[in-house]
Amino acid sequence: MTETTLAIANDIEARFPQCVTPDERGGYEGYLIEAGKLVEFATALRDEFGYDFLSSVTGVDYLPDEKMEVVYHTYRSTGGGAFVFKVQTPRQTPSVPSLCGIFPGAEFQEREAWDLLGIHFQGHPDLRRILMWEGFEGHPLRKDWKEAYYESDAKPFDSRWPVGEIYRAEDENPFKGNVVYPQGFDPDKWTPEGETALYAGMHEVETDEAMHTDQIVVNLGPQHPSTHGVFRMVATLDGETIVKLRPVMGYLHRNHEKIGERNTYLMNIPFTDRLDYLSSMTANWGYVQAVEKLLGPKTAAPERAEYIRVIMAEFTRISNHLMAIGALLNDLGAYFTPMLYALKERELILDIFEATAGSRMMCNYYRFGGLARDLPAGVYEKMRDLAFERLPRQIDELDRYLTENEVVIARCEGVGVLTPEEAIAYSAVGPVLRASGVPYDVRRADPYGIYERFDFDVAVRYHGDVYDRYLVRLDEIRQSIRILQQALDDLPEGEIMAGKPKYSMRVPAGEAYGRVEAPKGELGFYVVSDGSANPWRYHVRAPSFINLTALSKMCEGDKVADAVIILGSIDIVLGETDR
Amino acid sequence: MPEELNSKGYDIPPEMQSLVAITTLDKIYNWGRRYSVWPMMFGLACCAIEMICTAAARFDFSRFGMEIMRPSPRQADLMLVSGTVTKKMVPQIVRLYNQMPEPKYVVAMGACACGGGPFKEGYNVVSGIDKFLPVDVYIPGCPPTPQALLFGLMKVQEMIDTQSLKEVRWYQKGELPAIPVPILGPDLIDPRDYPEFAEKLAKAQAEVTEPEGA
């Protein structure tokens, strides 16, 4: 149990006798709450104990125990460790009260748990499927749900070359594809469910305008140049003003978690690259951190590895923010020229990644207890040149061209405002939270790695609009350069891996939540181990996904053209949003 | 006039060489098309980022006459399927393909678009776009580097070079059939499966109930 949890343990138990019990399973932490008392408990936790930031909500299917469990990770927005609480519910009829009323940031995460695990949340305002489509058969993350290409529960699978002849998974399926239908399904007698649930309440939204005018419903996406991938927004417009907006996602839902639960621990690292494909290094770090927590202190990374981890993470942050700024300007209509400036610098950072990790984007570089390989000759000098000479100048150049630009200011200032209270309530993280005046950065609030050793400021701005989100990113690049300069100066010689690299390791049973400050915000990995070679539960708390919860709040009342830049200012990556 | 246009065996006087070319109709038709391929601005996943890098300053595919990326399928003639094709997205991709005017080409960029890639076993992933669309060039890699993408695009140009006006499908008689748009049911339904659906379903169900090897 974390220190902060211990400090309030007595108070919690005294405040809620009977219905709150410490979770005493080996390797687990936090408290088990009675479902009936959940709302009352969460309200008290937020208002009396100060845990006002709900970071992650997810479900776990404990099939052998015939139970479903919903796990909540809460933090104080002033910093410190997690307070974890859980609710158990019978597996046949899983149902727990919704926390949307207390933490609006739970909305999408609860919908995801409903979609993938079939856990019903009583009192949820809009409990629809979120990643799969309405009408899809079954809840795929349940342990007894088998996909069409199912081979066995855990990898590595048997050889697909059993008799000296290769076969493909789809050749085994009568439909020659990745599909499976329920018994007796007849497409002729079936009508599609369509999107009636999505459009419900979208037509004719009540407004307090004196003159009644017709409203129209507009779809932006999934194929739209401004959506940064395959994202869709359904908006009800009154003239050009958005009166209601609903994000629709799942067009890039690649079943990361289901695949992750079949993989061995090591096999998951390259999959984390493909979550946020603009910043694969930090995604590696989050996952590695969660598993290292399970493995215990004997796998602590050596000094040199810790430094290189920080260096790579900060270069990733710079390259991600460059891309975010370039894309935001694209959305503003400055088509591709600012992007070219941003990509020019990003290429130089990618060169470093390619030389070190072997790939430009999918780095697959961090390992449990260290790194995959050391820096090759010549890379250190290149890094120094970038961090001390080139990048500071180039960032100033970007700043000079864009920050004072009249069009940028006119379009961005006062658009998509999120107040600090709303930002915390909606579980916004990263630059979105910090632009709203909340100086919360995991690197400072709950330090990991060796970030405590470096001198840097948490970038914060106070207006909560699109312009401030742009400025926060620019500030963060400058702070990252500061960290890089210190880390490169202090980089020690030595090993880069604790012990010998291993293909499979025994991960003790238990749960762990590892979180890092990824460029897009707090990226968390919730891993449950049952002691076998594969994780029992593997959940990603994706910042792009949860930041979108506040999207409709930010867009309502603004013009439809502003929705595009508000989305751009959140800086989403669909690989992470949909997973 | 570029040298490549000239047909062999015709002597053009030296003073006319920059002004006149003796060539075939096929050749000049293809020469015009190969340097004005307009890709659709259409990114699905990670590969789209490498596609953007290929369009940017360092790699710059406008050197091949492909600089204009069009977000509208009506104005595009090359579909770069850049990323994982999911079941939820594939109806839209097929619809976009149907909306593109002929001549049109499809490039499957990356492992996922070629055959499902690392995510193949996922319940929401289509095992390659070629299950639905006719793919002209496959580019392996996860993601393919910009160099690989450029090489793939050069292969598209080579393919254009070999086409003949007499044989191309868009100048044949009759209407070109559209590809039936898949439907999102309990799972993805391909309308082309309808005739034998019950039969296939029975077979699939039998396999589930019978243990393997029985």
Side-chain angles (χ1 to χ4, degrees):
Chain A
M1 208 172 278
T2 56
E3 267 173 50
T4 42
T5 314
L6 275 177
I8 63 158
N10 288 333
D11 296 341
I12 293 261
E13 277 167 49
R15 174 83 168 69
F16 292 95
Q18 317 295 322
C19 51
V20 171
T21 45
D23 190 350
E24 274 156 356
R25 293 170 288 178
Y28 284 71
E29 64 166 331
Y31 284 89
L32 293 172
I33 316 290
E34 230 174 70
K37 290 278 183 185
L38 179 68
V39 174
E40 194 190 329
F41 175 82
T43 314
L45 191 70
R46 183 190 66 179
D47 297 340
E48 293 167 32
F49 296 97
Y51 284 87
D52 51 355
F53 183 78
L54 178 72
S55 164
S56 152
V57 182
T58 188
V60 188
D61 178 9
Y62 288 103
L63 179 65
D65 304 338
E66 282 295 311
K67 269 183 197 147
M68 288 271 189
E69 192 176 274
V70 183
V71 187
Y72 303 86
H73 286 79
T74 53
Y75 292 90
R76 286 179 168 138
S77 58
T78 48
F83 183 86
V84 188
F85 58 98
K86 297 151 193 179
V87 181
Q88 291 190 331
T89 171
R91 200 171 173 279
Q92 296 306 322
T93 52
S95 179
V96 296
S98 164
L99 287 190
C100 283
I102 303 153
F103 297 108
E107 186 187 340
F108 283 6
Q109 304 187 63
E110 288 183 347
R111 273 178 68 187
E112 187 194 314
W114 156 248
D115 184 357
L116 302 182
L117 284 154
I119 299 170
H120 185 264
F121 289 88
Q122 308 142 21
H124 190 286
D126 187 24
L127 198 63
R128 287 177 292 122
R129 281 185 183 270
I130 187 163
L131 296 176
M132 300 305 287
W133 60 90
E134 216 58 56
F136 181 74
E137 179 75 16
H139 300 285
L141 272 186
R142 290 191 170 199
K143 287 287 176 183
D144 51 2
W145 193 94
K146 308 263 197 288
E147 55 269 53
Y149 285 166
Y150 173 78
E151 287 180 53
S152 67
D153 273 338
K155 281 180 187 168
F157 294 152
D158 291 338
S159 166
R160 290 216 184 106
W161 194 299
V163 286
E165 204 178 309
I166 198 156
Y167 70 93
R168 296 185 305 166
E170 57 254 53
D171 296 337
E172 304 281 286
N173 187 311
F175 291 96
K176 301 287 173 213
N178 187 6
V179 285
V180 60
Y181 302 99
Q183 190 94 41
F185 170 70
D186 183 356
D188 295 329
K189 292 190 188 125
W190 160 90
T191 41
E193 203 148 325
E195 294 184 320
T196 40
L198 167 65
Y199 289 116
M202 291 303 284
H203 298 278
E204 296 297 305
V205 182
E206 289 285 320
T207 50
D208 46 6
E209 300 277 310
M211 193 167 72
H212 185 78
T213 51
D214 274 351
Q215 296 172 345
I216 50 166
V217 176
V218 171
N219 272 289
L220 283 110
Q223 152 62 7
H224 190 274
S226 72
T227 54
H228 297 224
V230 280
F231 180 71
R232 175 174 160 205
M233 295 181 275
V234 183
T236 303
L237 305 181
D238 190 358
E240 273 202 56
T241 311
I242 297 171
V243 288
K244 190 162 189 170
L245 183 136
R246 271 188 192 154
V248 187
M249 51 197 97
Y251 294 99
L252 191 56
H253 178 47
R254 307 195 269 198
N255 329 120
H256 196 87
E257 292 177 11
K258 187 79 174 175
I259 294 173
E261 285 166 20
R262 300 230 197 285
N263 280 346
T264 63
Y265 285 93
L266 190 69
M267 285 159 106
N268 271 336
I269 298 176
F271 279 88
T272 60
D273 291 336
R274 286 152 183 84
L275 278 172
D276 179 353
Y277 35 77
L278 290 171
S279 41
S280 61
M281 292 280 194
T282 42
N284 283 177
W285 200 354
Y287 173 64
V288 164
Q289 193 195 81
V291 178
E292 278 174 359
K293 274 187 187 169
L294 280 171
L295 286 167
K298 65 177 191 299
T299 48
E303 197 71 346
R304 182 174 170 83
E306 289 281 17
Y307 272 92
I308 298 179
R309 280 182 179 188
V310 169
I311 292 170
M312 290 302 177
E314 295 311 317
F315 270 125
T316 302
R317 195 181 317 279
I318 295 171
S319 84
N320 177 82
H321 284 351
L322 284 171
M323 193 86 177
I325 290 170
L328 176 69
L329 267 290
N330 250 5
D331 293 342
L332 280 169
Y335 183 67
F336 226 56
T337 309
M339 191 72 155
L340 287 176
Y341 278 85
L343 283 175
K344 189 177 62 173
E345 306 314 310
R346 183 173 174 266
E347 285 288 339
L348 298 174
I349 295 172
L350 293 192
D351 282 348
I352 289 172
F353 291 167
E354 192 174 13
T356 316
S359 176
R360 287 156 50 87
M361 283 166 65
M362 307 305 177
C363 298
N364 185 16
Y365 184 54
Y366 291 40
R367 291 288 181 276
F368 310 126
L371 299 165
R373 55 188 77 78
D374 207 341
L375 301 177
V379 167
Y380 179 76
E381 289 71 29
K382 264 193 185 167
M383 285 175 168
R384 276 197 82 89
D385 180 50
L386 269 185
F388 285 90
E389 303 291 332
R390 181 155 180 133
L391 284 177
R393 268 191 286 125
Q394 297 298 326
I395 301 310
D396 288 345
E397 186 188 53
L398 214 59
D399 189 3
R400 201 164 62 241
Y401 290 159
L402 301 178
T403 308
E404 299 290 314
N405 183 299
E406 214 165 298
V407 179
V408 172
I409 292 175
R411 287 288 313 271
C412 295
E413 257 185 358
V415 171
V417 176
L418 200 64
T419 65
E421 294 77 24
E422 284 167 352
I424 294 172
Y426 278 101
S427 304
V429 287
V432 178
L433 180 66
R434 289 191 286 274
S436 290
V438 184
Y440 188 88
D441 185 319
V442 183
R443 291 176 292 174
R444 267 287 151 73
D446 187 11
Y448 56 95
I450 52 165
Y451 274 110
E452 277 164 313
R453 298 184 197 175
F454 299 113
D455 187 20
F456 68 99
D457 299 321
V458 174
V460 63
R461 298 272 169 167
Y462 298 94
H463 298 106
D465 55 4
V466 173
Y467 190 59
D468 273 14
R469 272 170 230 140
Y470 155 75
L471 288 177
V472 157
R473 292 206 170 88
L474 215 53
D475 294 345
E476 271 184 30
I477 296 180
R478 294 213 168 93
Q479 296 306 324
S480 288
I481 293 173
R482 259 177 89 186
I483 298 174
L484 277 175
Q485 291 177 344
Q486 295 165 51
L488 284 167
D489 275 341
D490 300 346
L491 179 67
E493 290 297 317
E495 293 290 306
I496 47 115
M497 188 82 190
K500 265 192 188 158
K502 274 184 270 184
Y503 283 108
S504 65
M505 59 274 301
R506 279 204 64 77
V507 179
E511 58 164 12
Y513 184 65
R515 57 176 195 152
V516 293
E517 184 69 32
K520 297 190 169 63
E522 176 190 327
L523 172 67
F525 285 85
Y526 178 67
V527 182
V528 177
S529 164
D530 61 348
S532 67
N534 314 77
W536 178 261
R537 180 79 175 96
Y538 167 71
H539 172 72
V540 187
R541 184 249 186 253
S544 315
F545 175 63
I546 294 161
N547 279 351
L548 282 175
T549 319
L551 178 69
S552 36
K553 179 86 202 160
M554 288 190 251
C555 287
E556 275 159 28
D558 278 321
K559 300 275 181 273
V560 65
D562 294 335
V564 170
I565 56 165
I566 293 170
L567 184 72
S569 75
I570 301 178
D571 185 22
I572 58 165
V573 144
L574 268 296
E576 191 179 62
T577 306
D578 295 342
R579 281 152 293 150
Chain B
M1 283 286 164
E3 288 283 297
E4 59 185 299
L5 257 184
N6 281 322
S7 293
K8 284 196 185 79
Y10 297 96
D11 282 333
I12 303 170
E15 69 273 18
M16 301 280 281
Q17 264 172 13
S18 59
L19 302 169
V20 170
I22 295 176
T23 185
T24 60
L25 199 55
D26 272 347
K27 236 179 182 173
I28 194 147
Y29 175 65
N30 291 336
W31 176 77
R33 291 193 304 135
R34 98 194 293 272
Y35 291 114
S36 58
V37 177
W38 287 12
M40 186 154 78
M41 198 157 97
F42 168 62
L44 289 178
C46 336
C47 290
I49 307 298
E50 286 296 54
M51 187 174 75
I52 295 170
C53 288
T54 314
R58 186 188 273 189
F59 299 99
D60 191 12
F61 63 24
S62 55
R63 291 178 293 152
F64 300 85
M66 298 189 181
E67 68 191 304
I68 306 179
M69 293 184 95
R70 299 268 96 178
S72 164
R74 308 275 182 200
Q75 301 166 338
D77 41 21
L78 173 68
M79 183 186 239
L80 275 164
V81 183
S82 54
T84 313
V85 181
T86 61
K87 291 179 186 172
K88 199 170 175 178
M89 190 62 197
V90 77
Q92 276 81 323
I93 297 176
V94 172
R95 215 170 276 149
L96 286 168
Y97 178 80
N98 286 339
Q99 288 174 2
M100 282 165 66
E102 291 280 6
K104 55 187 170 188
Y105 301 90
V106 178
V107 171
M109 180 187 179
C112 292
C114 291
F119 299 96
K120 180 172 175 178
E121 67 197 271
Y123 48 86
N124 191 25
V125 175
V126 175
S127 310
I129 190 62
D130 58 359
K131 292 265 182 293
F132 293 94
L133 305 183
V135 175
D136 297 301
V137 174
Y138 295 86
I139 306 174
C142 190
T145 55
Q147 293 93 330
L149 176 58
L150 286 177
F151 183 70
L153 294 174
M154 282 152 76
K155 286 283 158 197
V156 174
Q157 293 183 322
E158 280 174 29
M159 193 182 148
I160 292 172
D161 284 344
T162 61
Q163 289 183 313
S164 155
L165 274 168
K166 248 190 264 171
E167 285 153 23
V168 289
R169 62 174 182 272
W170 52 92
Y171 285 139
Q172 304 304 311
K173 278 197 181 123
E175 211 172 295
L176 285 170
I179 293 176
V181 178
I183 300 158
L184 296 176
D187 206 325
L188 189 74
I189 305 169
D190 188 347
R192 292 172 295 188
D193 277 340
Y194 275 173
E196 301 121 41
F197 199 92
E199 198 182 309
K200 283 179 179 170
L201 186 68
K203 204 175 151 208
Q205 300 292 351
E207 271 169 30
V208 173
T209 44
E210 263 175 60
E212 256 179 63

